[in-house]
Amino acid sequence: MIPVLSAEAVIGFLGAGQLARMSAYAAYRMGFRVAVYSGVEREINVPGSEPLEQLAPLQFTGSFDDETSLLNFMSACDVVTLENEFLDGSLLHKIESLSKTPIFPSPDSFLLLETKWLEKETFRKAGIPVTPYEKITSIDELNSFALNNGYPFVLKSSKGGYDGYGNKTIRSADDHAEAFSSLGGASGHELIAEAFIPFEKELAVQVARNRTGAVVYPCCETIQENHICKTVIAPARVDLSIQKKACELALAATEAIDGTGLFAYEFFLTKDGALLLNESAPRPHNSGHYTIEGCACSQFENHIRTVAGLPLGSTEMRAPVAVMENLLGTHNRPAQV
């Protein structure tokens, strides 16, 4: 059961990045307090440098596998939510049980999505179309996947990859050994191979769900550049029937994991009009940034509403069309601090 949080309750974020910061803005507007747990594995090892650390007075730092530090953080919170999925589902289960502080999405839901392989298995079993995939534990299995699915295909780290990191495009048998080794396959890291889909468009849908109900955001179109989402157009420039089907699949996926929270789903629209679920995220997503100004209630406010046990806000668009452009720097170098 989700408690209905009173004003001044503390919402804790596991992770201190930009998505947590944006959700925290919504929490502050609604009268809640915010605590943050930032990982010691931060890219720039300067205390207070993470986006949410700059806003949250209640700050905790430690490893994401440090049970003692995590329990100390949990004890300061009335409810805890996730900013990323690079966490251990079994440990989430344990600290929720020991602390009695609820975590949303729940550890049970998180465990169904914890790796890319588990994610695909969960949705396939729920009858949701997904890209062809196989767990890869050896180069022989890579050879077999190539034989059955052809080239090119994608080899991914089953946990921890994002925005092009932890992925390798395999174009011939000559790529097998290097890709398998560089992604950690030789040392036992779980990998997944996914067939290359010659898609027409990439689509995305965000869903907010708790015990009060569920709301679904408009199906939007995402345009990628170097594996990073560069442009989002809402609603997607596809037939209304395809938009409706993507929204139905996203809601079904959320129900399949009994999800409480804000979830994002990415789909491939194939040239023959089929929709395949590519990836999901148990948190706000960059494909939903347009909702800040583009919808009556943003994905970030509904993220807070879901974990606070509150009724969910309208996802109706405030204009016929909304476009988000991701402005990226032109130089790839460490930031000056």
Side-chain angles (χ1 to χ4, degrees), residues 68-299:
T68 301
S69 295
L70 287 166
L71 284 172
N72 186 40
F73 163 71
M74 297 283 287
S75 69
C77 303
D78 294 290
V79 68
V80 167
T81 189
L82 311 181
E83 196 254 356
N84 65 64
E85 54 269 33
F86 309 141
L87 304 163
D88 182 278
S90 297
L91 182 56
L92 290 179
H93 223 297
K94 185 175 183 179
I95 61 175
E96 181 185 59
S97 177
L98 290 172
S99 69
K100 309 303 182 187
T101 301
I103 300 174
F104 298 113
S106 73
D108 286 337
S109 296
F110 184 83
L111 282 165
L112 295 172
L113 305 175
E114 184 168 3
T115 69
K116 289 182 170 62
W117 181 77
L118 282 170
E119 173 189 61
K120 289 286 196 297
E121 287 283 283
T122 294
F123 295 138
R124 178 187 62 79
K125 291 175 181 177
I128 297 167
V130 297
T131 53
Y133 66 98
E134 292 288 347
K135 185 190 290 186
I136 300 296
T137 61
S138 69
I139 292 178
D140 284 343
E141 290 176 348
L142 267 181
N143 296 334
S144 176
F145 187 85
L147 185 65
N148 293 329
N149 293 277
Y151 295 104
F153 64 89
V154 181
L155 185 65
K156 298 181 177 181
S157 173
S158 193
K159 188 176 179 73
Y162 68 100
D163 286 354
Y165 297 99
N167 302 336
K168 294 281 187 180
T169 300
I170 309 298
R171 303 188 183 281
S172 74
D174 293 339
D175 297 333
H176 290 189
E178 190 278 331
F180 185 78
S181 176
S182 66
L183 292 176
S187 56
H189 188 70
E190 184 175 288
L191 305 179
I192 181 173
E194 296 182 3
F196 183 80
I197 304 298
F199 56 84
E200 191 74 20
K201 288 183 184 293
E202 291 182 271
L203 308 177
V205 178
Q206 301 81 34
V207 177
R209 181 177 183 267
N210 66 9
R211 65 182 173 86
T212 72
V215 293
V216 182
Y217 283 90
C219 172
C220 60
E221 177 183 345
T222 66
I223 300 171
Q224 314 292 321
E225 185 176 283
N226 297 323
H227 302 285
I228 297 174
C229 182
K230 187 175 186 298
T231 304
V232 175
I233 301 170
R237 297 172 296 178
V238 297
D239 191 83
L240 285 175
S241 64
I242 294 173
Q243 295 180 33
K244 181 181 178 182
K245 182 64 175 177
C247 291
E248 290 172 348
L249 289 173
L251 180 58
T254 308
E255 292 172 343
I257 60 171
D258 193 20
T260 292
L262 193 292
F263 300 85
Y265 301 93
E266 296 177 298
F267 296 92
F268 290 139
L269 174 63
T270 67
K271 295 184 184 299
D272 61 1
L275 283 169
L276 298 176
L277 179 54
N278 178 39
E279 290 187 346
S280 68
R283 54 169 173 77
H285 192 262
N286 57 12
S287 63
H289 288 342
Y290 79 92
T291 65
I292 298 172
E293 290 90 8
C295 293
C297 185
S298 75
Q299 67 165 347

